[in-house]
Amino acid sequence: MSQNNVLKGVFFVALGATTYGMLATFVKMAYSEGYTTAEVTTSQFVLGIIGILLINSFQKIKNKNTAVKATPKNIISLMTAGTSLGMTSLFYYLAVKFIPVSIGIVLLMQTVWMGVLLEMILEKKLPSKQKVIAVFIVLTGTVLATNIINNDIKLDWRGIAWGLLAAASFTTTMFTANRVATEISSAQRSLYMLLGGAIIVFTFAFFTQVTPFNLAIFMKWGIVLSLFGTIIPPMLMNAGFPLTGIGLGSIVSALELPVSVMMAYILLNEEVLFIQWIGIVLIILAIIIMNVNFKRKA
């Protein structure tokens, strides 16, 4: 693979991670205007599905309808996998309702050690020393990044619980997304996973939205949330990862963490202490350690 293609892949992944890193700040801003979690997630998924449908239609015309079509089995598998995508959005948005965005993104990054644990359970073998070291660094970084060693900091336990649940469901999403119906186009896969996620989101909205649904959310925040959450990042990641490879792509995608914290600092005036930045750097370091091959080639 040429150096130009790798650089192009790095650009796509970096832009996708940066875009997704901005999402939680926009959600928090929507909350400040009185919109509910149900309104935020519903508008994001409805407009996201419409956007992905348009992309699929464009690709069909461009490819003259020659692309591999999803079978009923593919559709069911992808929609089932997509339910974890819907839960990730719900849990993450509920988390940032109770805790700062800068803490919420750190909790979401617990996918690093959760992924190692899930891999150990599924493959029934102990993780490598490299992964164990990375997990230890992540946990150390999390303690610093959340600043829980400071007795003056009071974090709402509900936000922590929702944040950890978001990380758990996101771990499931990552494991299933790259293993289910890989023979069809990424746009088709994104569409059916979004439809599966929408079932979870709409069910949540049906049971929790006690006030009349504020349709203004679609024009005010829905377009931004769907673009930054369900359309741009997946398309850029799917275009970039094949060019960078999983290792380099995972390292570059860690940009999501500092971008999310910086956005919260600039737009929400959230206080981020020096010790928290050290924790964030440690988490990024752990992601690099997990994805770099330290063995020399013969």
Side-chain angles (χ1 to χ4, degrees):
M1 189 179 294
S2 71
Q3 190 67 24
N4 285 340
N5 280 341
V6 173
L7 288 173
K8 186 189 293 183
V10 168
F11 175 76
F12 285 151
V13 174
L15 191 58
T18 301
T19 305
Y20 193 73
M22 300 176 183
L23 187 62
T25 296
F26 296 139
V27 170
K28 199 89 168 179
M29 292 170 76
Y31 281 156
S32 69
E33 294 183 9
Y35 294 108
T36 65
T37 304
E39 290 166 345
V40 167
T41 51
T42 299
S43 64
Q44 178 185 327
F45 272 75
V46 168
L47 294 178
I49 288 169
I50 292 172
I52 295 294
L53 272 171
L54 291 173
I55 291 170
N56 271 285
S57 299
F58 175 76
Q59 288 188 349
K60 277 185 179 180
I61 296 169
K62 184 181 177 183
N63 298 326
K64 297 179 180 179
N65 214 22
T66 57
V68 177
K69 293 182 180 179
T71 64
K73 184 180 177 181
N74 290 152
I75 294 171
I76 293 171
S77 297
L78 286 167
M79 288 184 68
T80 302
T83 57
S84 63
L85 186 67
M87 286 188 281
T88 300
S89 294
L90 277 177
F91 295 156
Y92 188 35
Y93 295 173
L94 286 168
V96 297
K97 195 171 186 178
F98 300 106
I99 55 177
V101 168
S102 54
I103 304 297
I105 187 64
V106 168
L107 292 175
L108 188 65
M109 285 292 166
Q110 301 311 295
T111 51
V112 175
W113 65 263
M114 288 182 181
V116 172
L117 182 63
L118 183 60
E119 187 179 51
M120 184 180 72
I121 294 169
L122 294 177
E123 298 186 3
K124 297 178 181 177
K125 66 178 183 180
L126 294 174
S128 64
K129 290 181 181 178
Q130 189 173 328
K131 289 182 178 179
V132 171
I133 292 169
V135 167
F136 177 76
I137 294 173
V138 165
L139 294 175
T140 304
T142 301
V143 170
L144 297 177
T146 53
N147 199 22
I148 58 175
I149 54 177
N150 186 346
N151 292 328
D152 295 332
I153 300 296
K154 301 289 184 184
L155 292 177
D156 194 315
W157 68 268
R158 292 171 295 180
I160 295 173
W162 287 124
L164 291 174
L165 283 171
S169 59
F170 191 43
T171 303
T172 306
T173 302
M174 289 193 299
F175 261 79
T176 56
N178 294 317
R179 288 167 171 78
V180 178
T182 53
E183 66 275 13
I184 65 174
S185 68
S186 59
Q188 285 186 82
R189 294 172 74 241
S190 296
L191 173 63
Y192 295 122
M193 286 188 74
L194 274 178
L195 289 172
I199 294 172
I200 299 296
V201 168
F202 296 163
T203 302
F204 172 84
F206 179 79
F207 286 105
T208 63
Q209 186 69 19
V210 292
T211 57
F213 194 97
N214 190 346
L215 295 175
I217 184 73
F218 283 95
M219 294 304 295
K220 185 66 190 272
W221 289 107
I223 295 173
V224 173
L225 294 172
S226 61
L227 284 173
F228 282 70
T230 50
I231 298 175
I232 296 176
M235 297 303 292
L236 288 173
M237 294 289 192
N238 284 327
F241 265 91
L243 300 177
T244 61
I246 295 296
L248 179 58
S250 298
I251 294 169
V252 176
S253 66
L255 274 172
E256 177 190 335
L257 180 53
V259 167
S260 186
V261 175
M262 283 300 298
M263 285 289 290
Y265 176 76
I266 295 169
L267 295 181
L268 301 176
N269 296 317
E270 287 188 5
E271 184 181 17
V272 185
L273 304 176
F274 180 69
I275 192 173
Q276 291 176 271
W277 280 113
I278 294 175
I280 290 165
V281 170
L282 283 176
I283 294 172
I284 295 172
L285 177 64
I287 294 169
I288 293 172
I289 289 172
M290 280 192 67
N291 291 284
V292 169
N293 186 1
F294 290 101
K295 293 179 181 178
R296 290 186 178 182
K297 292 181 180 178

